[in-house]
Amino acid sequence: QVQLVESGGGLVQPGGSLRLSCAASGTIFSINTMGWYRQAPGKQRELVARITSGGSTNYPDSVKGRFTISRDNAKNTVSLQMNSLKPEDTAVYYCNADRIWSGRNYLYDQWGQGTQVTVSS
């Protein structure tokens, strides 16, 4: 079994910063792409940032230049540095691993439980 656990959410004022972290645990030999998604009340889950095992990143225009994703392949962790936060960034943020090799089989589309980020004065 593989588990993804997020941490680092909280309440921050507009213009502030937060850093989210996600650690994958279990029997893991490799993880393909890891990413962060968010879901605000009444809205669909959307991509926030994505990073391949080789370090290539992808961001939507809504967060480009403000958010930075990074990962440590040796530790099976992924982080999201969020700067210049806006009220519209308020959402539950989820960590995702699209494909994990356990040494015996592939596990697809693994999700963490989510962490709340609230941007408000």
Side-chain angles (χ1 to χ4, degrees):
Q1 291 291 338
V2 170
Q3 190 175 19
L4 274 63
V5 178
E6 301 102 335
S7 60
L11 173 64
V12 63
Q13 292 187 341
S17 298
L18 276 177
R19 185 175 181 86
L20 305 182
S21 296
C22 172
S25 61
T27 303
I28 298 172
F29 276 68
S30 63
I31 303 176
N32 189 37
T33 296
M34 300 188 79
W36 289 93
Y37 292 74
R38 66 187 180 189
Q39 187 166 19
K43 294 188 177 182
Q44 288 190 331
R45 192 172 295 189
E46 63 177 1
L47 173 70
V48 175
R50 192 162 49 196
I51 184 167
T52 68
S53 57
S56 297
T57 59
N58 175 244
Y59 305 92
D61 289 342
S62 58
V63 307
K64 198 173 292 184
R66 300 189 297 124
F67 291 9
T68 303
I69 190 171
S70 60
R71 67 187 284 177
D72 185 328
N73 291 333
K75 296 181 179 179
N76 295 321
T77 60
V78 62
S79 298
L80 184 69
Q81 178 65 41
M82 304 185 293
N83 298 328
S84 302
L85 282 161
K86 305 174 181 180
E88 51 263 44
D89 294 318
T90 295
V92 178
Y93 283 69
Y94 297 90
C95 174
N96 173 269
D98 73 341
R99 189 182 70 192
I100 298 174
W101 172 240
S102 71
R104 297 182 62 183
N105 58 293
Y106 283 108
L107 302 172
Y108 295 92
D109 208 24
Q110 301 295 299
W111 293 91
Q113 82 288 350
T115 185
Q116 177 70 46
V117 171
T118 302
V119 185
S120 175
S121 56

